[in-house]
Amino acid sequence: QVSPPPGFDRPRTSARPPRPAPAPALWAWALGMSTLYVEAGRVVDAVVHEKLGLKAALYRAPLGSDPRVVCKLAAATLGHRGALRKALVDCGLLVDRTSGAASSGTGEDDEEVRPAKRQKQIENVASVSGGAKAVREEGVALVMAYDLLAGQGLRGGGHLSRELKAHKAQLQVSYKEAEANAAAEASNRPGKGGTNADAFEDLPRYVRVNRLLLPSDSEAASLRNSLAKTLLKRAKDEAKESDNAEELSQVAADKLVPDLLVLHPRSKPWLQGLEDVDAGRLVLQDRSSCLAALAAGLTPGTFVLDACSAPGSKTAHAIELLLGRGRMIACEKDPRRATAL
């Protein structure tokens, strides 16, 4: 229930109006790009060049596409950004964001674009580099390249889509080579974990079983077995021959958080697009996020107030712990983030 409790008087002052939406991206429509690619590309650019978190970048402006799809595509692209970027640079389809010269392809972040310069870039998205049309909006190019090489295939037209398809064979070779080199460097890194990034790479991945959709223990166990089989298949298809597929596909129960499954650190890309994830039976939620509702000691019949609830993972976990008996009031003051609830 979302109504206020008995005796609660609504404030008589008018609510603060939502922030105005940004002007439509006419430049994207003119190029024939899919709205999904434009929005996911903006998220990628915001994370890489403005150092925003994924959720902050996702809800900074109204979305025309499903936020879950945009988030999934952006997250998958960020996970393979280095290889995708090198492939685009090798094919002459990506230019430097500030100077207009060809990017170095080292994988390091380009200089952050100032707002005044960025607007001029948006007005001149396409330029010519080495006889091929190059793109200054890096995020869009990366997202579309990911969908072409590792996703569902390109959706929508436009000059960039045609250029990517025309260079698909060369992109695939460069992309696979960059991915293989990155994997080799990671495995040969002395001591592993010399930097913060290395430490995060070694952390396990977590998924939570939604017991509202799978109330019986047998259903939860069946889902766990199904997940292990799916991960094993992906490991055999995509991992190196020297890797242990059985180890990469292990699914274990967390010792502290009920219904939380612990996966191998390298299983993250294999969770994208899973039917059980899309259907809500499995929730991609980190262990630290699950601890909030668990630490509150929620039991059926509890009255819960979530004062900062978007995007809703902790809220949904709290509702599950109530087992359908109790009351939840979820508040979110930011209208853009509230859409996720």
Side-chain angles (χ1 to χ4, degrees):
Q1 301 183 37
V2 295
S3 59
F8 177 83
D9 295 328
R10 294 183 182 276
R12 297 187 179 182
T13 57
S14 59
R16 183 174 62 181
R19 300 173 186 173
L26 297 177
W27 59 274
W29 300 340
L31 292 175
M33 293 182 188
S34 165
T35 302
L36 171 63
Y37 293 144
V38 174
E39 293 175 339
R42 286 175 181 168
V43 173
V44 171
D45 276 334
V47 171
V48 173
H49 299 289
E50 301 179 45
K51 310 304 180 186
L52 294 181
L54 182 59
K55 292 180 181 178
L58 184 65
Y59 295 110
R60 71 185 306 186
L63 298 174
S65 308
D66 186 338
R68 295 172 298 179
V69 179
V70 175
C71 183
K72 182 187 302 183
L73 183 56
T77 301
L78 288 167
H80 299 271
R81 174 177 171 263
L84 292 169
R85 194 172 190 276
K86 184 180 185 305
L88 289 169
V89 171
D90 289 347
C91 294
L93 296 177
L94 187 64
V95 297
D96 189 88
R97 292 168 60 90
T98 54
S99 66
S103 176
S104 62
T106 60
E108 297 179 357
D109 295 342
D110 298 323
E111 179 185 349
E112 183 176 348
V113 181
R114 297 181 182 275
K117 291 184 178 180
R118 182 174 177 81
Q119 181 58 37
K120 185 171 182 61
Q121 289 178 359
I122 290 176
E123 295 170 357
N124 301 280
V125 174
S127 63
V128 178
S129 174
K133 292 182 179 178
V135 174
R136 295 178 185 269
E137 290 299 302
E138 180 176 313
V140 175
L142 291 171
V143 166
M144 295 182 69
Y146 171 81
D147 220 13
L148 175 67
L149 301 175
Q152 301 180 14
L154 283 176
R155 293 159 276 183
H159 83 272
L160 180 54
S161 176
R162 292 190 293 271
E163 289 291 335
L164 288 170
K165 291 177 181 178
H167 293 80
K168 183 176 180 180
Q170 183 182 353
L171 285 168
Q172 285 179 323
V173 172
S174 182
Y175 173 72
K176 290 181 179 179
E177 179 183 350
E179 287 278 85
N181 290 338
E185 290 178 5
S187 61
N188 296 330
R189 189 179 296 120
K192 289 193 67 177
T195 66
N196 290 337
D198 299 332
F200 281 114
E201 289 177 359
D202 291 334
L203 292 177
R205 304 300 172 185
Y206 297 91
V207 292
R208 181 169 54 79
V209 179
N210 186 347
R211 296 306 294 265
L212 288 180
L213 297 181
L214 302 171
S216 70
D217 293 339
S218 60
E219 291 175 313
S222 176
L223 178 63
R224 175 177 169 176
N225 294 333
S226 175
L227 175 61
K229 292 179 181 178
T230 300
L231 294 179
L232 179 60
K233 183 179 184 304
R234 295 292 297 271
K236 290 181 177 179
D237 293 342
E238 302 180 24
K240 297 182 297 183
E241 293 183 0
S242 57
D243 289 329
N244 186 333
E246 295 287 346
E247 179 182 347
L248 295 177
S249 61
Q250 285 184 354
V251 179
D254 187 78
K255 297 180 179 180
L256 178 62
V257 182
D259 303 312
L260 187 66
L261 303 179
V262 186
L263 313 178
H264 193 277
R266 288 176 55 186
S267 66
K268 181 179 179 179
W270 303 334
L271 299 174
Q272 304 296 331
L274 285 184
E275 181 181 352
D276 289 319
V277 173
D278 293 340
R281 292 185 289 270
L282 283 176
V283 181
L284 303 181
Q285 185 172 2
D286 193 69
R287 187 175 190 263
S288 60
S289 177
C290 296
L291 294 176
L294 190 67
L298 303 182
T299 56
T302 305
F303 191 135
V304 182
L305 172 64
D306 191 339
C308 184
S309 55
S313 296
K314 299 181 184 68
T315 308
H317 189 202
I319 292 175
E320 288 184 35
L321 295 178
L322 297 180
L323 300 179
R325 301 191 301 277
R327 189 175 186 184
M328 162 69 75
I329 295 181
C331 308
E332 176 55 56
K333 68 176 184 178
D334 190 331
R336 296 172 298 176
R337 289 174 56 82
T339 59
L341 291 173

